[in-house]
């Protein structure tokens, strides 16, 4: 039986107008042991117009990022088509099907959560998150948005910092990418 490794990080994306920021903490854990504190779990695609982050097994996520990049190129930058095509492959491909990761993907208009079971979820609102600290990060981000904070990078940084203070699988070595 495969172990669920999704609890080992926090990825948070926020959109305010057409500005987007997606960030993640740097902690890598194996069970209850911290193995690394400065991993980079977010990446940009399509000349910085698409951002993605992962939760789960790092090697699996790197394979998924490569495959997603190919799908995005095939779709000529059409994020929705690339995500749907990726989900179809992930659900049916014998190798991909066993990969243990979740992806959070955003551009300046759309947000998607993508899983190996073929799920494509387009969250409501302007916040997207995966990983063990998601609930904390989402709550903090919603509070900052309600308090009229307009800079998504600031919201992501402060929210991930709060999550790192609560979630033992999330640290404060935060990497953030932006679409302006």
């Amino acid at each position: 039986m495969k172990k669920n490794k999704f609890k080992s990080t926090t990825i948070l994306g926020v959109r305010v107008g057409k500005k987007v920021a997606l960030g993640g903490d740097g902690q890598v854990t194996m069970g209850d042991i911290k193995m690394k504190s400065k991993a980079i779990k977010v990446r940009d695609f399509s000349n910085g117009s698409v951002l993605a982050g992962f939760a789960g097994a790092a090697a699996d996520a790197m394979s998924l990022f490569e495959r997603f990049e190919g799908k995005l190129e095939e779709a000529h930058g059409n994020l929705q088509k690339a995500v749907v095509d990726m989900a179809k492959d992930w659900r049916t491909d014998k190798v991909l099907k066993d990969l243990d990761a979740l992806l959070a993907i955003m551009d300046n208009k759309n947000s998607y959560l993508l899983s190996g079971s073929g799920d494509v979820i387009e969250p409501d609102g302007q916040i997207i998150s995966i990983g063990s600290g998601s609930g904390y990060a989402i709550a903090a981000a919603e509070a900052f948005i309600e308090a009229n904070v307009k800079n998504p990078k600031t919201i992501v940084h402060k929210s991930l910092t709060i999550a790192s203070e609560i979630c033992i699988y999330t640290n404060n070595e935060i990497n953030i990418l932006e679409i302006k």
Side-chain angles (χ1 to χ4, degrees):
M1 182 199 279
K2 194 161 84 157
K3 292 183 182 177
N4 184 347
K5 298 178 185 177
F6 302 141
K7 65 181 183 179
S8 60
T9 198
T10 304
I11 302 295
L12 176 69
V14 173
R15 178 181 301 100
V16 177
K18 295 242 181 222
K19 293 180 183 176
V20 175
L22 182 81
D25 75 303
Q27 185 164 297
V28 175
T29 58
M30 289 184 73
D32 58 358
I33 298 172
K34 284 195 270 184
M35 301 300 290
K36 184 174 179 159
S37 62
K38 295 182 181 181
I40 297 175
K41 303 172 188 176
V42 293
R43 185 173 160 200
D44 67 342
F45 297 91
S46 216
N47 296 317
S49 65
V50 174
L51 307 177
F54 73 88
D60 291 352
M62 294 302 117
S63 295
L64 291 169
F65 274 172
E66 285 179 28
R67 181 71 66 107
F68 174 69
E69 186 169 38
K71 291 295 180 188
L72 196 56
E73 288 172 7
E74 286 174 21
H76 305 289
N78 180 328
L79 181 58
Q80 183 176 25
K81 180 169 179 24
V83 167
V84 169
D85 289 348
M86 179 73 187
K88 287 178 190 173
D89 284 1
W90 199 350
R91 185 177 57 244
T92 59
D93 185 276
K94 288 180 183 181
V95 175
L96 287 180
K97 204 158 79 169
D98 289 333
L99 297 183
D100 189 16
L102 284 171
L103 298 179
I105 304 168
M106 301 179 81
D107 65 9
N108 62 2
K109 296 177 189 165
N110 304 291
S111 302
Y112 300 99
L113 298 175
L114 185 57
S115 79
S117 59
D119 295 326
V120 176
I121 300 166
E122 189 173 6
D124 295 332
Q126 60 203 85
I127 301 169
I128 187 171
S129 189
I130 56 176
S132 60
S134 286
Y136 310 120
I138 290 169
E142 287 178 351
F144 288 120
I145 289 168
E146 192 165 310
N148 214 25
V149 176
K150 298 285 188 194
N151 184 321
K153 184 175 182 179
T154 299
I155 295 168
V156 168
H157 187 269
K158 288 182 176 194
S159 299
L160 286 173
T161 299
I162 289 168
S164 77
E165 294 170 359
I166 302 168
C167 177
I168 62 170
Y169 296 104
T170 303
N171 72 6
N172 62 0
E173 295 290 333
I174 297 167
N175 293 291
I176 301 172
L177 301 174
E178 293 181 277
I179 301 172
K180 296 181 181 184

